[in-house]
Amino acid sequence: MRRSSTFSPIVALLFTLFFAAFPQIVMAQGQPTQGPRRAPGFLTAPGPGDALDRVQDYVRGNRTALGLQQSDLEDVKVTNRYTTQHNGVSHIYLSQQLAGIEVIGGYLNASITSDGRIFSLHNRFVPGLALAANTRAPVLSPIQAVEAAAGELGLSVTTPLATQAVMGGPAREVLLSDGGISMDPIPVKLMYHTDGTGALRLVWNLFVRQLDQQHWWNLNVDAVTGAVLSKTDWILRDSYRAFPVPLENPDEGPHSLEVDPADAIASQYGWHDNNGAAGGEFTDTRGNNVWAQEDANADNSAGFRPDGGAGLVFDFALDLTQPPASSQSAAITNLFHWNNILHDIHYQYGFDEVSGNYQANNYGAGGASGDPVLADAQDGSGFDNANFSRAPDGFSSRMQMFLFQFPGVAIHSPAAIAESIGGGEAEFGSPLTVGGVTGNVVQALDPADPALFSTTDGCSPLTNAVAIAGNIALIDRGDCTFVQKVANAQGAGAIAAIIVNNVGDEVIAMGGIDSNITIPSMFIGQTHGDGIKAQLGSGVNATLSSQVQRDGDLDNGIIIHEYGHGVSIRLSGGPASVGCLSLAQSGGMGEGWGDWWALALTDKASRSGTDIRPIGSYALGEGPKGPGIRNFPYSTDLGANPQTFAAIDGTNQPHGVGEVWAQAIWDAYWNLRNAHGFDPDLYNGSGGNNIMLQLVMDGLKLHGCEPTFLEARDAILQADVVNNAGANQCLLWSAFAKRGMGVDADDTGNPRRVMVTEDFT
């Protein structure tokens, strides 16, 4: 039914709300000039009179300091004023106008106490207003402006744009019909727009709420040229502050706000929907693909979930200087974000509804629904681990993410390096406690002994004892025993000592005996030590403790690994058969696929196959080149990771067995990446990395229940024949043969056995 042309009271109210609300919402675009400020004091003394009058008098009296002329203040309107009840502070909001036409972003707001003291003033008024404007009269009509806006938005006007109401005034306000492009009649009025250079352009300001209800646009169309100078979507996109793809953990990049990250194909109704209608059903960390919450009491019930509000803005602070519990909302948001990201990425390669993916609602696409992942953050049922439960399609699996705790150093300041890092305790000196020893860190200096050797190794009595006394001594490894180093630090008056590895990020326990040493000490990796050294000039404060913590919810590699279990258990043998990765070889590969996805989905163009890639090094408090939680870090360099097929006999099960499989397909990944390039687009890319992601996913569907290593190898080779006409056979065979799974290798065909025969052909 077509809308009536009558301007109803409801439409009038909507129209009024549009323009009444607009000045409060649009952020300033001009170049502000702040007035005199004396924070945290007051701009004025107490005084009588109305709050608005006092603010206006202050602005007029200080216009020169504010960079304004008298004419800039001649046409000002009050857009809002209110008083906060609990403290009596009044807030005044003023809007600048030129000949009755409002200036977008030309705002000034001030706050004043109940006794008349102005203490906050933010000025965004445009200086030299009268001379800055390009014109006082439009060339385009409101209808022409809407047509220009439609073109900018890629929309076609399908019904005539007719005037439904004329409010007039200096802004020439009108209400136009929807034109077949908007859910509502389109309000249009004149305003002045500034691009930040001080120039003002007369524009038609208007709103278009698209018929799909996914966008509600506010546009400013140049009233002379018809160019769209700005457009803003008033529908707030869901956003999540997290460590985004391809960051593996906080050591690799910033905690950033990811806006509207849901993939339009994999999560067509967004991450917070479960009924297939526009608009999410949840404003907390629940949705169609995952429900994420804390489970500190380990009861597997609905724990705390952060709420993003109506705008779905999950923007929570992360303080790595404090215990993980203080940043629970940030941790849960990262866990929710990554579970959804993994759902969407794996979907592109075929882990969809009919293949058994995790969705509350399959939206009619087949498969069994009702099974979002239940992701528990900071789970209290354990430490130093994570897990993923098996459940067939239609039943939710649970991901449990734990805290990791270990002896280490909690760096409190400066903020650039503030975090908890892992360390190795000494067999001598005072044992550390949970509360530990806190102090400022100072570099220990000693003579070069022998000549030309290090002056920071603490092998001789320290030469800066005055600076060391009462502080924590920082000493480099090398040239003498740990006992000597700590004894010299104690002799200089240090309250504790930190020994820095000079040959990598490995952390070791420091051996030795000396009953005269009474101060505690800690050994840390080279990367962390170098970070401390770089910040010594800013004042490093730290605590040596027997127990510091890191949150596994921030180690994206572990999250990817656990989600990988969910993918492999449902694809190996079909979505209803989740017991198909239980035996020695197949169960090991279940761990290996998880590690491999953790590597592949956090890969970067700048990396090389020979780079050291540990798993879980962040959660353990290690540096980026630490050994991590595996026997070897991953690398195509046989010197860094020498494991071949026969290593599955005698290694730990299932993880050690899985390492061998993950390394083999990591070598294959790099052969394809080197041949076909790297594409950072994990959703629709065409690089060698994308090709291998597809081959692994398809191989999982081909090898059947309880596969052996060589059956899984052959499934990947078969997938390449089907997908690429066998174009990558030599690249794949080369990688498998490198790790002992060549053409004449033998795994006995029994997935229970680990005694295998290698072949490098």
Side-chain angles (χ1 to χ4, degrees), residues 374-607:
L374 304 177
D376 290 345
Q378 299 183 2
D379 195 287
S381 62
F383 289 97
D384 308 333
N385 209 337
N387 60 49
F388 196 96
S389 63
R390 297 171 185 259
D393 196 18
F395 296 87
S396 287
S397 290
R398 185 176 298 276
M399 177 188 291
Q400 292 181 306
M401 301 296 295
F402 303 147
L403 299 178
F404 285 68
Q405 57 185 27
F406 38 80
V409 179
I411 303 174
H412 308 301
S413 62
I417 59 170
E419 62 178 347
S420 294
I421 61 179
E425 295 182 273
E427 296 175 357
F428 52 86
S430 298
L432 283 166
T433 62
V434 174
V437 177
T438 300
N440 294 325
V441 180
V442 177
Q443 178 70 65
L445 300 175
D446 70 321
D449 40 17
L452 303 181
F453 274 54
S454 171
T455 60
T456 58
D457 60 14
C459 288
S460 298
L462 304 187
T463 59
N464 62 334
V466 173
I468 291 293
N471 295 310
I472 299 172
L474 187 70
I475 306 172
D476 286 334
R477 180 186 188 183
D479 301 329
C480 63
T481 66
F482 295 126
V483 167
Q484 282 181 272
K485 297 173 187 293
V486 178
N488 286 329
Q490 178 175 295
I495 59 174
I498 299 174
I499 312 300
V500 179
N501 197 344
N502 61 352
V503 289
D505 285 340
E506 183 182 8
V507 172
I508 61 174
M510 295 184 290
I513 300 174
D514 188 336
S515 59
N516 294 317
I517 296 178
T518 59
I519 65 172
S521 55
M522 183 74 69
F523 184 91
I524 66 172
Q526 188 172 26
T527 299
H528 287 139
D530 289 345
I532 292 174
K533 293 175 186 177
Q535 295 292 327
L536 287 175
S538 301
V540 177
N541 184 266
T543 297
L544 277 65
S545 170
S546 63
Q547 181 180 296
V548 297
Q549 291 184 331
R550 278 192 172 183
D551 193 342
D553 298 292
L554 304 181
D555 195 318
N556 297 331
I558 295 178
I559 297 173
I560 297 170
H561 173 97
E562 297 306 329
Y563 199 95
H565 281 302
V567 179
S568 61
I569 62 175
R570 287 197 174 176
L571 292 183
S572 298
S577 303
V578 295
C580 287
L581 296 176
S582 302
L583 304 179
Q585 289 192 43
S586 51
M589 286 191 291
E591 300 294 341
W593 279 302
D595 277 6
W596 181 81
W597 270 311
L599 300 171
L601 299 182
T602 58
D603 197 17
K604 301 175 183 176
S606 59
R607 285 196 166 116

Side-chain angles (χ1 to χ4, degrees), residues 309-325:
L312 298 176
V313 179
F314 295 83
D315 189 2
F316 304 105
L318 175 65
D319 188 352
L320 296 177
T321 69
Q322 300 297 318

Side-chain angles (χ1 to χ4, degrees), residues 353-373:
E353 294 88 353
V354 295
S355 300
N357 73 351
Y358 298 90
Q359 292 184 182
N361 189 335
N362 285 0
Y363 304 124
S369 57
D371 58 355
V373 171

